[in-house]
Amino acid sequence: MAAAKERVVGAAPAGYTALAVKFGERQRSPHYLLVKEHQVREGAGSTHPPRRTLFVLNVPPYCSPDSLSRLFSRCGQIQSVDVCEKPGPREKKEKFTSKFFNRKTVTGFQVAYVVFRKPSGVQAAKALSQEGPLLISTESHPVKTGISKWIANYAASVVNREELKAEVDTYMQDYDKKIAEEEAKAAKEEGVPDEEGWVKVTRKGRKPGLPRTEAANLRVLEKEKQKRARKELLNFYAWQHRETKREHIAQLRKKFEEDKQRIALMRAQRKFRPY
């Protein structure tokens, strides 16, 4: 990214168009975005369709998706703006996207994919290089910096309980639906041979999961209570166990000394005396 930023002062790399942008009116030297039409390999599934997607390099950290959307809105109606840490193939987005979980904060320069409603928007965006520097932060739409930015980030980090509960409930409903579909599919395919005559065998185990009933929960709680009681009983008699071991070791030492004396006496009695 840094190398690309240095080269763009003289001339843009092959295939790219350099767009001069400024954070605000007081900024003297402009920053350069490198843009070109995004190309996708044939047959590759992507959320960035060809001919309607503008690929943007050298996006500064203060330039948000909303800022890019306002910046290129003069070129045509925008469908979506996707800011990524680095370029690369991207699969289609999942049906469920989390607002609270798996959020990743990207620092440094990034890349962006701006998808227009019509292909003419890409060509109009590339033609912006003939105009003067474009402003990212304006009076009508200022970009927050400094203390106001940190206050906004802190306010955004506070979790709304109702929204969190709604998201978790939605996720669990989708998960239960997915599991039910997989079980129905497995039950349908069980015992049915495929084209080559093989039969798929599934086994759920000899001990199925306990039913979620009140009686089953009471049995589980009773077992846990008995385990805790046995553990507490063993801990209660731990001092007796230690005393027993000490007494046993003392008895072994006493017996060892007695055996040593007995062996010494036996050796003295067996001493050979010819006269």
Side-chain angles (χ1 to χ4, degrees):
M1 292 299 182
K5 183 179 178 181
E6 293 175 359
R7 289 197 304 268
V8 79
V9 176
Y16 287 88
T17 303
L19 302 183
V21 296
K22 287 185 177 181
F23 178 79
E25 295 180 354
R26 296 182 179 180
Q27 184 178 354
R28 295 182 178 179
S29 58
H31 179 81
Y32 289 90
L33 301 178
L34 305 177
V35 300
K36 74 171 184 177
E37 181 181 342
H38 179 55
Q39 298 178 355
V40 184
R41 293 181 181 179
E42 186 177 356
S46 176
T47 56
H48 310 134
R51 298 199 306 165
R52 294 194 295 113
T53 302
L54 182 71
F55 179 58
V56 187
L57 272 177
N58 209 26
V59 180
Y62 54 80
C63 196
S64 62
D66 294 337
S67 302
L68 289 176
S69 180
R70 289 192 299 268
L71 199 67
F72 293 106
S73 60
R74 68 188 71 183
C75 303
Q77 190 175 3
I78 295 177
Q79 178 178 335
S80 64
V81 177
D82 189 10
V83 179
C84 307
E85 183 178 3
K86 57 184 179 179
R90 179 166 182 166
E91 299 178 354
K92 294 183 178 181
K93 294 183 179 180
E94 297 180 357
K95 182 178 179 181
F96 180 80
T97 56
S98 176
K99 180 181 177 181
F100 303 97
F101 304 100
N102 300 328
R103 294 188 302 179
K104 184 179 180 182
T105 303
V106 181
T107 58
F109 289 86
Q110 307 168 64
V111 300
Y113 298 87
V114 182
V115 181
F116 291 91
R117 293 286 183 181
K118 297 180 180 180
S120 59
V122 176
Q123 303 303 326
K126 294 169 65 176
L128 292 177
S129 59
Q130 306 299 328
E131 302 182 11
L134 307 175
L135 296 180
I136 295 177
S137 180
T138 60
E139 294 183 0
S140 58
H141 298 92
V143 176
K144 294 182 179 181
T145 57
I147 189 67
S148 59
K149 177 183 177 182
W150 297 114
I151 292 174
N153 292 342
Y154 174 77
S157 65
V158 178
V159 178
N160 188 328
R161 294 184 179 181
E162 297 298 330
E163 293 182 0
L164 178 60
K165 183 178 182 301
E167 179 175 320
V168 173
D169 292 341
T170 303
Y171 177 83
M172 294 306 301
Q173 290 175 3
D174 294 342
Y175 177 78
D176 293 339
K177 182 179 179 181
K178 181 181 178 181
I179 295 298
E181 291 176 355
E182 292 179 355
E183 292 179 353
K185 183 179 178 181
K188 185 178 179 181
E189 295 178 353
E190 187 175 1
V192 179
D194 56 8
E195 297 177 356
E196 299 180 357
W198 293 94
V199 178
K200 184 178 180 180
V201 180
T202 60
R203 187 178 68 176
K204 296 182 180 180
R206 295 181 179 180
K207 296 182 178 180
L210 291 175
R212 294 183 178 274
T213 60
E214 185 177 358
N217 293 333
L218 290 175
R219 287 196 296 270
V220 173
L221 292 175
E222 186 64 25
K223 288 183 179 179
E224 293 294 333
K225 185 177 179 181
Q226 293 177 0
K227 288 182 180 179
R228 288 195 299 268
R230 286 196 298 268
K231 187 176 181 181
E232 292 175 358
L233 188 63
L234 290 175
N235 293 336
F236 179 76
Y237 290 108
W239 65 274
Q240 293 184 351
H241 185 65
R242 289 193 298 269
E243 291 295 330
T244 304
K245 289 179 66 175
R246 289 196 185 97
E247 292 178 0
H248 181 64
I249 292 173
Q251 292 178 1
L252 290 177
R253 288 178 178 174
K254 182 179 179 181
K255 187 177 180 181
F256 177 72
E257 294 296 333
E258 292 177 354
D259 291 342
K260 282 176 62 177
Q261 295 178 5
R262 191 181 299 109
I263 291 172
L265 181 60
M266 292 174 60
R267 287 179 178 176
Q269 291 177 352
R270 288 188 305 176
K271 189 175 181 180
F272 178 71
R273 296 176 182 179
Y275 304 104

